[in-house]
Amino acid sequence: RRTGKKTMPSQPPTGMSTSTMIQQQLTKVASGFTSLSNSPPELHKAYLLKFLDSYAYFSFSLVFTLFLSDDFGMSDIQAGTIYGAWGALITIFGLFTGTVIDN
C-alpha cells in the first residue's frame, strides 16, 4: 500500500557509488536509442522533424519575452501576458487544426 508520499533518495543505495548509478541510467537511455536502429528511415526523419520543431518552439519561447522587454520597452508583466496569449493561441490553433485534419 502506498502512503502517497514520494521521496527522492538523497544518497545512492548502499554499496553503489553515484557515478555507477549515473552510468546505469545512461546505459538505460542508450539502450532506448539503440532499439531504434532497426526501425524504418521514415521514423528517424519523423523524430528529427519533431526535434527541430521543439527546438524552434522553445528557442522562440526563450527569446520572445526578452525581445518584447528589450526592443519594445515592455515590462515583464506585459511581455509575459503577450507570451501567455501567444501560447494559448498556439494551443487553440493546434487543437482546431488537429480536429480538422482528423476529419
Side-chain angles (χ1 to χ4, degrees):
R1 183 174 169 194
R2 296 179 70 163
T3 61
K5 282 187 172 182
K6 293 182 180 179
T7 58
M8 296 293 293
S10 58
Q11 297 293 325
T14 307
M16 184 183 295
S17 69
T18 304
S19 63
T20 303
M21 191 167 73
I22 291 172
Q23 187 175 12
Q24 287 178 347
Q25 292 299 321
L26 290 175
T27 302
K28 285 181 185 179
V29 170
S31 69
F33 283 109
T34 56
S35 69
L36 292 173
S37 62
N38 296 327
S39 62
E42 292 82 5
L43 184 63
H44 294 280
K45 292 172 187 171
Y47 280 140
L48 176 64
L49 287 174
K50 179 62 181 165
F51 170 77
L52 293 174
D53 177 57
S54 297
Y55 183 78
Y57 177 83
F58 290 112
S59 296
F60 180 77
S61 297
L62 178 69
V63 173
F64 188 51
T65 53
L66 296 174
F67 174 73
L68 291 174
S69 296
D70 291 344
D71 289 357
F72 288 102
M74 293 184 178
S75 69
D76 290 343
I77 302 296
Q78 291 171 324
T81 302
I82 292 175
Y83 172 73
W86 175 77
L89 289 173
I90 291 293
T91 302
I92 291 167
F93 179 76
L95 291 172
F96 175 73
T97 56
T99 303
V100 171
I101 289 170
D102 286 345
N103 290 327

